[in-house]
């Protein structure tokens, strides 16, 4: 059984990845910053970095 904190973390990571991938398709990977992604999901850039160390990690993350 997964606790509430872990569920919230995974939900935030899913939202971040889904949003980032849409931005990458729209603008191109190199033109999107972590700040752009953070603004789009309503998080601080530091929160994005807490979940994903790099932009590449956002693309490669697979919770399974």
């Amino acid at each position: 059984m997964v606790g509430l904190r872990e569920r919230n973390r995974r939900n935030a990571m899913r939202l971040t990845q889904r949003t980032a991938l849409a931005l990458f398709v729209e603008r191109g990977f190199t033109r999107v910053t972590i700040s752009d992604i953070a603004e789009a999901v309503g998080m601080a850039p530091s929160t994005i970095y807490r979940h994903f160390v790099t932009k590449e990690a956002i693309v490669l993350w697979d919770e399974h």
Side-chain angles (χ1 to χ4, degrees):
M1 182 168 183
V2 178
L4 178 60
R5 180 177 289 177
E6 181 62 19
R7 282 197 312 266
N8 287 341
R9 185 182 74 81
R10 288 182 189 178
N11 286 336
M13 291 175 78
R14 284 186 206 110
L15 175 61
T16 300
Q17 185 182 55
R18 188 170 46 248
T19 303
L21 292 175
L23 289 171
F24 296 153
V25 168
E26 179 184 316
R27 301 182 200 170
F29 182 81
T30 58
R31 297 183 104 129
V32 176
T33 65
I34 291 291
S35 293
D36 294 333
I37 298 166
E39 184 178 329
V41 296
M43 293 181 196
S46 60
T47 304
I48 302 295
Y49 280 117
R50 189 175 314 126
H51 295 302
F52 303 100
V53 179
T54 63
K55 276 195 322 187
E56 291 82 1
I58 297 172
V59 174
L60 297 174
W61 179 69
D62 180 7
E63 70 178 291
H64 304 288

